[in-house]
Every structure is written in C-alpha cells, then in structure tokens.
Amino acid sequence: MDDRDPPSAASDLQARIDEARRKAAPPPSKAPSPKAVSMRAGIELFAGVAFGLIAGISLDRWLGTAPWLMVVLMILGIAAGLRNTIRAAQEETRKARKDTDTGP
Amino acid sequence: MRQFSTAALVLTGSFAVAAGQAAHAAEGGLPQLDLTRFPPQLFWLAVSFLLLYLLMSKLALPRVGDILRTREEKIAGDLNRADQLNRDADAALKGYEQALAEARAKATQIAAQTRATIQADADARQAEAEARLSAQAAEAEASIRATRDQALGQVREIATDTAVAVVTRLLGNQPDGASIDQAVGEELSRRGVK
Amino acid sequence: MAAGHNPLEQFQIKTLLPLEAGGYDISFTNSSVFMVTTIAVITLFMLLGTSKKALVPGRWQSMVEMSYEAIAGMIRDTVGSGGKKYFPFVFSLFMFVLVANLTGMVPYTFTVTSHIAVTFALAAVVFLGVTIIGFAKHGLGYLKLFAPSGVPLPVLFLLVPIEIISYLMRPISLSVRLFANMMAGHVMLKVFAGFVISLGAILIPLGIFPLAFMVALTGLEVLVAVLQAYIFSILTCIYLNDAIHLH
C-alpha cells in the first residue's frame, strides 16, 4: 500500500538517542604517562644529589660526623635519583608497548 | 603531543644549563638564593594562596560544579524524554499498523460478505425467473396440448362426418354411423393419432 | 652583557612597602604584587566566566569549564574517587602555578614561580599534606610505602634507605623542576632580547634573526608554562594517590 518504511526511521532516531547518551557520559580520559614525562631531564638526579648534600651537611654539623653522613647520603641520593629515572623510563616503555598493542 | 612536550622538556633542560652559565657570569649570584628575601615571599605566598584556596573552594568551584551538574541533568533529561517520545511513537506506529491490518481484514470480510449476499440475491432472482419461465412454458405447453387434443378430438368427428359424407355420396345411402366411427377410430389409431 | 642588561636582574625582589611583624620582614614587594595579581586574575576568570551560568556556554565559560574538568579528570584518573576532597586544593595549586607562569610571560612583569622560595614552599605544602594524609589514613602502615613487597631481606636493607630518600627528595625535585624551567626560559628570553638590541645596533636587519628566535621561544615558553603547571599538579595527584592507596 505505502512504500515508506516508518520502523527504520524510528530505529534511526533510537540510534541517534543512544549515540547522544554515549557522548553525554564522560569519556575515560587517557593521561599521557605523566609520571614518565615529568621525571625527565635529570631533575631527579639533581634532586637526589641536592638532598644528599643538604641533609648530609646539616646532619654532620649536628652530630659532628663530617664528612661521612654527607658522603653516604649523597651516594644514596644518587641511587634514589637513578632509581626514579629508571622506573620512569620503564613505565614509559611499558606504556608505549601497551599503546602499540591496543592501538589501531 | 607527548613527543612535542618531551622535546620541550629536553630543550628547557638545555636552557637550564645555559641559565646556569649565565648565573655564573653574573655578579652577586642568583637573586633567588638571597635568603633575606625569603620571609616576605613566604608570607605573601601564604596569604595569597590561602585567599585563593578559600575563593576557589567556597565560591568559584561550587559555581562551576553547579553549572556542569545542571547541564548534565538537562541533557540526561532531554535524552530520556527523547527516548520516551521515541518509544511512544513506536507504540503509536504499532497501534496504527495493527488498526490498519484489522481494518484491512474487516474490509476483506465485508467485501466477501457483500459478494455472497449479492450472489445469493442474484441466484434467487435467477431461480425465480427460471421458475416463472418454466411455469409459463408449462402453461403454454398445456394450452397447446389442450388445443391439439381438442383439435385431435375434432379430427375424429370431422373424419367420421367426412367419411359418412363420402360414403353417402359414393353409395348413395346412409351408412351405419357406428361402423364408420369404429373404422375411423381404427384408422386413426393405426396412424398414431388418438 | 650588552647595554648593561643583566639577565638575572629581572629576578630581583624589590621592596615596595616595608613591613615587619614579629621581627620578620613581611614587606610588600614586586613579587607580592604579582601574587596578588595572580589571585585576582584567577578569581576574575572564574567568577566573570561563570556569571551568566549559561546552559550553552560561551567561549569564556567554556574555558572555565575546561579548566575545571581537566583537573577533575586528572584527580579522577590518578587518585580515583577518594581524591575528590582534595580537588579544590589541586585546582588552586594548578591555577596559581599556571597563571603565575603565564603572567610572567608579559614583558616587564615578575614571575613569582621563578623563585625557589615560592616553588619550594608550594612543594613543601604538598609534601607535608600528603605525608599527614598518609599517616592519618594508614597509621604506621604508611611506612610500608618504603618496603616494596616480594624483595629479599638483604636487598631490603639497601632499598629502604633509597626509598626513604626518594620520598624525602620529592619536594626538591618538584620545586626545582618548576623553578628551573621558569627561570631558564626567562633568562633565555632576556639574553635574546639583549642580542636583538646589540645586533640591531650594528645593523638593523641583523636584529631580525634573534627576534625571530625570540618569537619562537616565547611560543615555546607559553607551552612550558602550561606544561609545568600540569606536571606540578599531576605529581601532586600521584603523591596523593600513594598516600591514599599505598601504591
């Protein structure tokens, strides 16, 4: 009798409503591996050395153990700085691998 | 974007080295390391940051949060309404289709019924006409038969009379009426006329 | 330096109104001016942008909403729902660093965040706050943060001091990163501005090259200003996450 196909027009509207709903929901935002980005440029190493120096010298002055605590704390500070940098690098490689795995 | 920002960091890192050299070149060292200038900075930082925190947490952020929540609710409400209306439209369409199908079925039924009625009527009429016609035919037949019978009845009489007249003329005397009648009857029955 | 331009002069703190309280110098300085300016800019940005409370936001309101949602999303992603309480603080921190960085880009202004005293104070607030939250949430169990599980005991003796130091140096790396980036950028801009003047004095077209570089550098500096504000606040979120969830 009539060639129009009203049900398909209606389901198209349904699809549009569903899509608008999906858009209205907050999308899961992807943070660009902030930890890795922020720990670059050797700041971590510098902070380690700086901490070792400051804490070591003040403790030495207080306990009269100069220069031993400064040396120990500086070595530990360098180790901590290296550890943080390596951890950040590992995190970035892991993230990059995950990105290539799940990426298009 | 990440590559870009990483490049920016690397670049700024090298700038930091350049800045360090510049700092060595400058007389009197870094103004940033002048400890006598720390207290005023720290005091005013504390004052202004506290003020900012209060302004943001008590005034600005609730306002933005309200706006966003209102919009979210409005959008969700609009979508729900659109969904509801769409459902209603679907339901109405289904109802319409059902009514249409029903009407169509009914129409077919009525058409069939009408056709049957008309057929029956026509049949009845035809039967009546046929009956009337056959009655008329029978009547006509009967009248024909009556006329013929009458005519045939008269044939015997005429034949007898004629035979009497012929015999009278031929023989000159009046023949016996009864024998003539019998002879005519025999002759007639022989010829198949009653 | 050419024409007497010391690139470090811009970092000088100048007293505008001498004040003193309890033996401490709390003078109103050029740094204070820009701290107050920063607060004023943020407050005006937030309040005027939302004055209409439009359902369909204009450009300004969109920017306000974007900054709100960026920080809210940052906390949601890194800390989870437990971080909602700290949203106003992280937002204030982000906006303060961002606007201080950006206002410092304007010529003849002072960059509050190019001073280690300011960045270290902010980092110290974050560090102390996070440490207090950690101990309040987990008690002494918060110390487990320093002892990674599944490590043999001898290694632990070496690892625990390293972990403790890496925790204690957080405020240093946090503050030095911001301070160094902001200071380096400004020194570079000033040095190149000096080049523009000195080369332009020899031959005017020669000044074009450092000028062009300065324009590019300014663009880069704007990017760095935003990036550093982002890094400062996301590291705060990461530290908060450590304190709330113990990794």
Side-chain angles (χ1 to χ4, degrees):
Chain A
M1 275 176 80
D2 65 352
D3 289 341
R4 280 183 306 123
D5 201 1
S8 106
S11 64
D12 179 47
L13 179 61
Q14 188 63 52
R16 275 164 56 200
I17 291 173
D18 288 346
E19 199 187 318
R21 275 226 171 101
R22 228 181 9 260
K23 267 186 204 156
S29 51
K30 279 187 270 171
S33 73
K35 205 167 182 174
V37 165
S38 54
M39 293 214 172
R40 291 209 149 205
I43 297 278
E44 289 296 322
L45 271 178
F46 173 85
V49 176
F51 176 82
L53 273 175
I54 297 168
I57 289 174
S58 0
L59 282 178
D60 274 340
R61 201 172 286 167
W62 181 41
L63 301 170
T65 49
W68 300 111
L69 280 177
M70 186 198 84
V71 172
V72 171
L73 283 180
M74 221 171 84
I75 291 171
L76 283 176
I78 292 171
L82 276 174
R83 201 185 135 288
N84 281 354
T85 315
I86 290 168
R87 193 196 267 165
Q90 277 173 342
E91 223 154 88
E92 183 151 32
T93 20
R94 199 169 56 224
K95 180 119 187 164
R97 201 172 298 141
K98 213 166 73 182
D99 281 355
T100 48
D101 279 354
T102 57
Chain B
M1 175 59 206
R2 194 163 71 204
Q3 278 181 336
F4 191 35
S5 52
T6 315
L9 266 177
V10 172
L11 269 174
T12 41
S14 56
F15 289 161
V17 175
Q21 286 163 353
H24 276 293
E27 279 177 25
L30 281 175
Q32 280 96 330
L33 298 180
D34 181 0
L35 289 177
T36 63
R37 307 269 65 189
F38 275 30
Q41 284 190 77
L42 295 177
F43 174 77
W44 285 101
L45 177 69
V47 168
S48 50
F49 193 78
L50 204 66
L51 183 67
L52 176 70
Y53 179 77
L54 289 176
L55 281 169
M56 291 299 114
S57 62
K58 299 275 176 259
L59 202 60
L61 293 178
R63 220 154 117 171
V64 184
D66 270 356
I67 292 173
L68 292 177
R69 204 172 314 113
T70 310
R71 178 175 318 137
E72 212 167 277
E73 277 162 12
K74 166 97 174 123
I75 289 175
D78 281 0
L79 281 172
N80 282 342
R81 226 180 55 205
D83 196 32
Q84 189 55 49
L85 287 175
N86 189 25
R87 263 174 232 280
D88 288 356
D90 271 355
L93 182 74
K94 283 217 179 72
Y96 159 77
E97 271 173 352
Q98 198 180 341
L100 191 69
E102 270 169 20
R104 214 175 275 167
K106 210 168 176 182
T108 320
Q109 192 195 339
I110 288 173
Q113 218 166 6
T114 312
R115 208 176 299 130
T117 316
I118 291 173
Q119 189 66 47
D121 196 24
D123 283 356
R125 253 176 235 217
Q126 197 178 348
E128 191 195 339
E130 270 170 10
R132 207 174 56 224
L133 284 177
S134 59
Q136 277 176 357
E139 200 179 319
E141 232 168 72
S143 90
I144 288 168
R145 191 172 299 130
T147 314
R148 202 185 61 176
D149 282 357
Q150 195 186 357
L152 282 178
Q154 284 170 349
V155 163
R156 186 168 181 161
E157 197 178 328
I158 290 163
T160 308
D161 285 352
T162 311
V164 169
V166 168
V167 168
T168 305
R169 185 72 63 82
L170 284 176
L171 299 178
N173 68 341
Q174 188 87 21
D176 182 17
S179 58
I180 292 285
D181 189 40
Q182 193 188 346
V184 168
E186 275 168 18
E187 189 60 31
L188 281 177
S189 61
R190 198 172 54 86
R191 294 192 184 186
V193 181
K194 280 188 183 166
Chain C
M1 201 52 63
H5 278 275
N6 183 343
L8 295 180
E9 201 191 306
Q10 57 180 324
F11 302 119
Q12 215 72 52
I13 296 210
K14 297 172 189 115
T15 298
L16 303 176
L17 180 70
L19 291 171
E20 211 187 283
Y24 287 104
D25 177 16
I26 56 163
S27 303
F28 196 74
T29 62
N30 54 347
S31 171
S32 318
V33 171
F34 283 95
M35 284 178 192
V36 173
T37 309
T38 300
I39 306 308
V41 168
I42 296 170
T43 307
L44 288 180
F45 171 74
M46 295 299 291
L47 292 186
L48 292 186
T50 54
S51 59
K52 270 188 249 162
K53 299 197 176 185
L55 209 55
V56 178
R59 207 168 289 179
W60 191 345
Q61 194 183 317
S62 288
M63 267 162 38
V64 174
E65 288 172 10
M66 225 176 357
S67 55
Y68 181 100
E69 281 174 336
I71 303 303
M74 183 192 281
I75 292 182
R76 201 175 45 235
D77 290 349
T78 43
V79 190
S81 56
K84 251 177 204 160
K85 259 192 286 181
Y86 311 108
F87 172 62
F89 175 75
V90 178
F91 186 84
S92 305
L93 196 63
F94 173 78
M95 287 308 267
F96 185 83
V97 174
L98 177 71
V99 174
N101 288 355
L102 286 177
T103 49
M105 298 298 303
V106 179
Y108 302 110
T109 58
F110 179 88
T111 315
V112 176
T113 43
S114 67
H115 272 257
I116 186 78
V118 171
T119 61
F120 190 80
L122 290 175
V125 169
V126 170
F127 176 79
L128 290 177
V130 162
T131 308
I132 289 168
I133 290 167
F135 278 113
K137 272 236 153 58
H138 307 285
L140 286 178
Y142 188 52
L143 293 175
K144 275 190 220 132
L145 194 67
F146 304 124
S149 52
V151 176
L153 203 64
V155 184
L156 217 55
F157 272 109
L158 191 67
L159 214 54
V160 167
I162 292 181
E163 285 287 348
I164 291 174
I165 287 186
S166 126
Y167 185 82
L168 292 177
M169 66 192 229
R170 276 175 179 183
I172 300 180
S173 57
L174 195 55
S175 58
V176 167
R177 182 181 299 111
L178 176 58
F179 146 75
N181 271 288
M182 292 329 291
M183 182 187 147
H186 283 79
V187 169
M188 282 307 277
L189 280 178
K190 196 81 178 182
V191 167
F192 274 89
F195 284 166
V196 174
I197 293 165
S198 52
L199 283 178
I202 302 165
L203 190 65
I204 288 167
L206 273 181
I208 294 288
F209 298 109
L211 188 67
F213 196 80
M214 245 183 92
V215 171
L217 203 62
T218 307
L220 183 71
E221 277 308 305
V222 171
L223 191 79
V224 170
V226 178
L227 191 71
Q228 288 305 319
Y230 172 76
I231 287 173
F232 202 94
S233 32
I234 197 138
L235 281 174
T236 302
C237 288
I238 289 171
Y239 297 160
L240 265 176
N241 183 42
D242 282 354
I244 292 174
H245 299 123
L246 279 180
H247 278 296

